[in-house]
């Protein structure tokens, strides 16, 4: 669409115009409903909250919103690839580059990460007997940094400035020379700001798990979801810090003409090393929490303790350790040499061993168990064969000689999605169905849950299994068309059908949430006959929990107490609980970074300076305020 404004000719692509229209209609509808139902007070409450369950709900809410946004991008990609020489809407050339960049970046950073962090926020404190995360203010700041970074990245599309550098942001394509204009800067600053929030949340989780466990809750008695959250948080601290360094250097290349990744002194391979030192641990950052979810779900619905608990913990730690020793298997074709390729091929094969151990542990947990095929259990069972298939193709890709054939083909796309969707997305679905009563006080409908599971799982395999074959036939990734003579039109059409079936499955999930809300079927503390401490508190979990504090005397102590017909022992002699405060400061701090990023992106340095001054002022305000004085008195600093 072309029009004239103040004498200037302006062109808006039809996809951007459609997005504006859809967003305005949807936003207007939401605003109308909020005003009609008088929910402005509820929005303000969530804007200033520091409670872990409410922060978790915010993570989950925006993760789901971005899941639909990125899912629509996936449907655009598959529609364009449905037939040979296809020209669907505008998604060819640069537009195709934009849509797969947005899809990948959002799914990794703005869908999988917030959904997992949301479950960690909600569940981990309840599993270990903590009354909140160790630093509630920092927890809120972490979420709002994620929100402002994701908002900044998504704003690029509405300004027709979407980055087109892939989710990996490879240099030299991502440098100013090859992608001039502000598009790639939205990628750089969006990930920087949101990544900072992720680092804060990881720090918070580590301190909470180490310092705020219930009496008797030794680390050897923690649920496996808590264990995987702890190890994931350590991975985040290292991996996201490396990503922050890479993005910082790329920012200097783009804005100030530095030459870290280009020129005579720089090298694009530096970016690949930095990105994949982050990127491959990121795979386990996404997968390990899901492994913890599956462990808890399978144990609960098999009515058995997890088989080989110590080995499960050791294997998770080994995966985390080896995850930092495999990054260059993404770079077999770069030319690092036979010694480097051989080393990373061996470490890549090694990491399959602890992962395989976990699969057998899950199978032996179910063996001789009393299995209930609930929706969370179905997602867990669907995960095992799907993930094993992704693992097998991963071992194939670890053979450096073979990787020269597989590299940058649809075979790699299929492998990646088999690993991430089978573990992370199915794990998130299992966790949401499993802990939905603890988050909301309701239990989702089982019949609709089964429809969601089966349509999603069948659609998933229909979409990505044929990509192994098209990849072996030589179809490259990131290419928007192919010839009829390539002989892969039928397989691509099947993949497109599968993608739309996955999209349809999400409608069952939406209807399930709506139906559950309308029927108002509230449940008690323990609808699943759970084994861990979170099922001992009310549903939904109140803001003030564990008063008095339970004493834990073994693994699955809550379940064994129920079986014995006893109450868990309690005590009042506990560490001082974290203090929740209601504060608008986290939101304001995050938005000041949003405007600082905006000023840097468009070289509006006055805005960047004002935002930096505002951020510093807000930090000073926070530094001068100590909520402990209000609760414990002025002497609390010295006593603590």
């Amino acid at each position: 669409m072309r029009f004239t404004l103040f004498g200037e000719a302006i062109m808006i692509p039809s996809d951007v115009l459609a997005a504006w229209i859809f967003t305005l209609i949807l936003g207007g509808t939401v605003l109308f409903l909020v005003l009609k139902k008088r929910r402005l007070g509820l929005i303000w409450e969530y804007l200033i909250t520091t409670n872990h369950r409410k922060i978790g709900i915010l993570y989950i809410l925006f993760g789901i919103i971005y899941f639909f946004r990125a899912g629509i991008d996936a449907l655009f990609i598959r529609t364009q690839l449905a037939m040979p020489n296809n020209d669907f809407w505008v998604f060819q050339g640069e537009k195709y580059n934009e849509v797969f960049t947005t899809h990948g970046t959002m799914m990794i950073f703005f869908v999988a990460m917030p959904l997992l962090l949301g479950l960690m926020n909600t569940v981990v404190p309840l599993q270990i007997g903590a009354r909140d995360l160790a630093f509630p203010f920092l927890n809120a700041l972490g979420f709002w940094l994620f929100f402002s970074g994701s908002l900044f990245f998504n704003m690029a599309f509405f300004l027709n400035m979407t980055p087109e550098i892939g989710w990996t942001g490879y240099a030299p394509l991502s440098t100013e020379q090859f992608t001039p204009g502000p598009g790639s800067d939205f990628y750089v600053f969006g990930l920087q700001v949101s990544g900072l929030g992720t680092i804060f949340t990881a720090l918070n989780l580590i301190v909470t798990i180490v310092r705020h466990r219930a009496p008797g809750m030794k680390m050897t008695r923690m649920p496996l979801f808590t264990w995987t959250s702890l190890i994931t948080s350590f991975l985040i601290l290292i991996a996201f810090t490396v990503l922050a360094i890479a993005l910082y250097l790329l920012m200097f290349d783009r804005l100030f003409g530095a030459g870290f990744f280009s020129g005579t002194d720089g090298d694009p391979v530096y970016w690949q090393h930095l990105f994949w030192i982050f990127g491959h641990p990121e795979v386990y950052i996404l997968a390990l929490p899901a492994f913890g979810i599956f462990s808890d779900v399978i144990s609960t619905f098999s009515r058995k303790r997890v088989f080989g608990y110590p080995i499960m913990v050791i294997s998770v730690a080994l995966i985390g350790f080896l995850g930092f020793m495999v990054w260059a298997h993404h770079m077999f074709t770069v030319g690092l040499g036979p010694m480097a390729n051989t080393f990373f091929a061996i470490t890549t094969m090694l990491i399959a061993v602890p992962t395989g151990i976990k699969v057998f542990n899950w199978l032996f947990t179910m063996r001789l168990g009393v299995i209930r095929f609930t929706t969370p259990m179905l997602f867990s069972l669907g995960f095992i064969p799907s993930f094993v298939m992704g693992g097998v193709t991963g071992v194939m890709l670890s053979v450096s000689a073979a990787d020269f054939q597989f590299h940058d083909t649809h075979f790699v796309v299929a492998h990646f999605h088999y690993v991430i969707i089978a573990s992370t997305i199915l794990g998130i679905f299992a966790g949401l169905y499993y802990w939905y009563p603890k988050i909301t006080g309701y239990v989702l409908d089982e019949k609709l849950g089964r429809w969601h599971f089966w349509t999603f799982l069948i659609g998933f395999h229909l979409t990505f299994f044929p990509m192994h074959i098209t990849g072996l036939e030589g179809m490259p990734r990131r290419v928007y068309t192919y010839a009829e003579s390539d002989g892969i039109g039928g397989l691509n059409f099947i993949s497109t059908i599968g993608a739309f079936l996955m999209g349809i499955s999400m409608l069952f999930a939406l209807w399930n949430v709506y139906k559950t809300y309308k029927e108002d079927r509230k449940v008690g503390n323990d609808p699943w006959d759970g084994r861990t401490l979170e099922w001992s508190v009310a549903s939904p979990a109140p803001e003030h929990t564990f008063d008095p504090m339970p004493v834990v005397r073994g693994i699955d102590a809550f379940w064994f107490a129920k079986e014995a017909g006893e109450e868990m022992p309690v005590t009042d002699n506990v560490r001082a609980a974290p203090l929740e405060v209601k504060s608008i400061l986290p939101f304001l701090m995050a938005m000041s970074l949003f405007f600082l990023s905006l000023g840097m992106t468009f070289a509006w340095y006055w805005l960047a300076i004002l935002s930096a001054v505002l951020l510093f002022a807000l930090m000073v305000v926070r530094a001068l305020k100590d909520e402990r004085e209000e609760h414990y008195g002025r002497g609390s600093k010295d006593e603590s």
Side-chain angles (χ1 to χ4, degrees):
M1 176 180 177
R2 297 180 183 274
F3 62 95
T4 302
L5 182 66
F6 303 120
E8 294 288 334
I10 298 176
M11 195 277 287
I12 301 180
S14 56
D15 61 320
V16 177
L17 180 63
W20 271 106
I21 294 171
F22 175 79
T23 303
L24 289 173
I25 293 173
L26 182 63
T29 303
V30 170
L31 180 61
F32 171 76
L33 292 174
V34 166
L35 294 175
K36 181 182 178 182
K37 295 184 178 294
R38 299 180 180 179
R39 289 290 190 266
L40 286 176
L42 181 65
I43 293 174
W44 175 253
E45 180 184 340
Y46 273 80
L47 201 66
I48 63 175
T49 188
T50 58
N51 175 259
H52 72 97
R53 184 179 68 88
K54 291 180 178 177
I55 297 295
I57 289 173
L58 288 172
Y59 270 120
I60 292 169
L61 174 62
F62 283 97
I64 291 172
I65 291 171
Y66 292 143
F67 185 65
F68 280 94
R69 161 79 170 88
I72 291 171
D73 285 339
L75 295 182
F76 289 154
I77 293 169
R78 284 309 326 164
T79 304
Q80 170 60 29
L81 295 176
M83 293 177 288
N85 303 312
N86 194 20
D87 287 321
F88 168 68
W89 201 357
V90 295
F91 296 107
Q92 302 84 41
E94 291 184 356
K95 275 292 179 183
Y96 187 80
N97 295 345
E98 292 177 5
V99 76
F100 74 67
T101 298
T102 304
H103 167 73
T105 305
M106 291 197 64
M107 281 294 189
I108 296 295
F109 295 101
F110 304 135
V111 175
M113 286 303 304
L115 287 172
L116 290 172
L117 291 175
L119 289 173
M120 291 181 198
N121 252 282
T122 305
V123 176
V124 166
L126 299 178
Q127 285 197 329
I128 63 174
R131 288 168 176 162
D132 206 316
L133 289 190
F135 308 112
F137 184 94
L138 190 67
N139 192 27
L141 179 59
F143 167 75
W144 289 114
L145 286 171
F146 153 77
F147 172 78
S148 61
S150 64
L151 185 67
F152 188 77
F153 179 84
N154 277 276
M155 186 176 71
F157 174 73
F158 291 92
L159 300 177
N160 193 28
M161 295 177 180
T162 307
E164 46 181 301
I165 55 177
W167 81 274
T168 57
Y170 270 11
L173 179 61
S174 55
T175 61
E176 180 70 15
Q177 179 183 355
F178 294 99
T179 48
S184 297
D185 296 320
F186 283 98
Y187 171 92
V188 171
F189 286 106
L191 297 194
Q192 280 276 43
V193 175
S194 64
L196 182 62
T198 303
I199 291 172
F200 287 167
T201 302
L203 282 167
N204 218 340
L205 284 164
I206 291 170
V207 177
T208 303
I209 295 170
V210 172
R211 297 284 290 171
H212 288 274
R213 301 190 305 277
M217 176 66 81
K218 300 177 182 178
M219 296 190 78
T220 52
R221 296 173 178 174
M222 295 194 310
L224 282 169
F225 179 64
T226 300
W227 260 115
T228 56
S229 299
L230 176 63
I231 293 172
T232 297
S233 297
F234 280 111
L235 297 184
I236 287 172
L237 278 188
I238 302 171
F240 271 80
T241 303
V242 176
L243 176 65
I245 293 168
L247 292 168
Y248 197 67
L249 298 179
L250 182 58
M251 178 195 72
F252 270 88
D253 271 16
R254 291 188 57 83
L255 299 185
F256 306 114
F260 294 106
F261 304 122
S262 60
T264 56
D265 297 322
D267 193 329
V269 176
Y270 295 162
W271 171 267
Q272 291 196 38
H273 279 296
L274 288 170
F275 184 86
W276 288 118
I277 289 172
F278 150 78
H280 204 84
E282 169 68 4
V283 173
Y284 301 109
I285 287 168
L286 299 179
L288 288 182
F291 292 169
I293 294 169
F294 294 131
S295 299
D296 286 2
V297 169
I298 290 172
S299 174
T300 296
F301 295 114
S302 299
R303 289 180 65 84
K304 279 181 65 183
R305 179 182 291 180
V306 170
F307 180 86
Y309 174 92
I311 299 299
M312 289 286 271
V313 174
I314 292 169
S315 65
V316 171
L318 274 175
I319 291 171
F321 174 73
L322 291 172
F324 285 102
M325 301 173 64
V326 298
W327 80 86
H329 70 215
H330 296 273
M331 303 168 61
F332 282 150
T333 60
V334 166
L336 299 179
M339 290 301 295
N341 282 3
T342 301
F343 173 82
F344 286 103
I346 292 171
T347 55
T348 303
M349 295 176 192
L350 282 175
I351 205 168
V353 175
T355 308
I357 289 171
K358 298 179 75 61
V359 171
F360 285 105
N361 280 61
W362 290 315
L363 294 175
F364 279 108
T365 300
M366 290 184 283
R367 181 176 179 269
L368 302 180
V370 182
I371 299 176
R372 290 175 288 161
F373 293 100
T374 60
T375 302
M377 189 64 166
L378 287 176
F379 278 107
S380 302
L381 294 175
F383 146 76
I384 293 175
S386 304
F387 183 77
V388 168
M389 291 174 68
V392 169
T393 57
V395 174
M396 293 171 65
L397 287 163
S398 72
V399 180
S400 55
D403 188 73
F404 276 77
Q405 173 67 30
F406 303 139
H407 191 75
D408 270 349
T409 69
H410 270 208
F411 188 91
V412 178
V413 178
H415 158 73
F416 182 77
H417 284 83
Y418 259 89
V419 170
I420 296 300
I421 292 181
S423 62
T424 307
I425 301 303
L426 293 185
I428 287 168
F429 288 154
L432 288 175
Y433 277 95
Y434 182 56
W435 284 305
Y436 196 81
K438 203 53 57 183
I439 298 170
T440 66
Y442 302 98
V443 64
L444 290 168
D445 182 78
E446 280 292 304
K447 184 177 180 180
L448 285 173
R450 286 180 166 83
W451 273 100
H452 177 206
F453 166 72
W454 285 113
T455 50
F456 188 90
L457 188 71
I458 293 169
F460 162 63
H461 285 286
L462 273 179
T463 302
F464 296 106
F465 187 81
M467 286 190 188
H468 294 99
I469 304 171
T470 58
L472 291 174
E473 290 291 331
M475 183 170 182
R477 65 195 301 191
R478 309 188 189 98
V479 172
Y480 69 88
T481 191
Y482 53 94
E484 191 170 352
S485 59
D486 293 336
I488 52 177
L491 291 169
N492 272 297
F493 189 71
I494 291 172
S495 288
T496 300
I497 292 173
F500 275 89
L501 187 57
M502 292 170 74
I504 290 169
S505 76
M506 295 308 300
L507 299 180
F508 287 112
L510 280 180
W511 179 251
N512 200 344
V513 172
Y514 176 76
K515 179 185 177 185
T516 301
Y517 173 75
K518 291 299 288 185
E519 291 181 353
D520 197 30
R521 292 184 301 158
K522 296 191 175 181
V523 293
N525 298 2
D526 189 17
W528 303 123
D529 191 19
R531 306 177 71 85
T532 44
L533 278 184
E534 71 267 30
W535 303 110
S536 67
V537 302
S539 299
E543 291 199 14
H544 302 286
T545 54
F546 301 116
D547 191 14
M549 180 68 68
V551 177
V552 177
R553 292 179 175 169
I555 299 173
D556 296 340
F558 174 62
W559 192 81
F560 283 106
K562 287 190 301 181
E563 289 296 294
E566 302 171 353
E567 295 289 331
M568 291 188 67
V570 296
T571 180
D572 292 321
N573 184 23
V574 294
R575 185 187 302 274
L579 291 178
E580 300 170 15
V581 293
K582 295 186 182 298
S583 175
I584 195 65
L585 287 180
F587 175 78
L588 295 178
M589 286 178 175
M591 294 314 296
S592 66
L593 271 176
F594 174 91
F595 285 106
L596 190 153
S597 302
L598 190 67
M600 295 297 292
T601 297
F602 291 101
W604 300 338
Y605 294 122
W606 59 270
L607 179 60
I609 293 170
L610 286 177
S611 301
V613 170
L614 174 61
L615 176 61
F616 181 76
L618 293 170
M619 293 171 69
V620 170
V621 170
R622 169 61 187 166
L624 295 177
K625 182 176 177 57
D626 188 349
E627 57 269 9
R628 292 176 299 175
E629 292 183 0
E630 300 174 9
H631 193 81
Y632 297 114
R634 286 193 67 86
S636 64
K637 294 180 190 177
D638 298 328
E639 293 166 8
S640 62

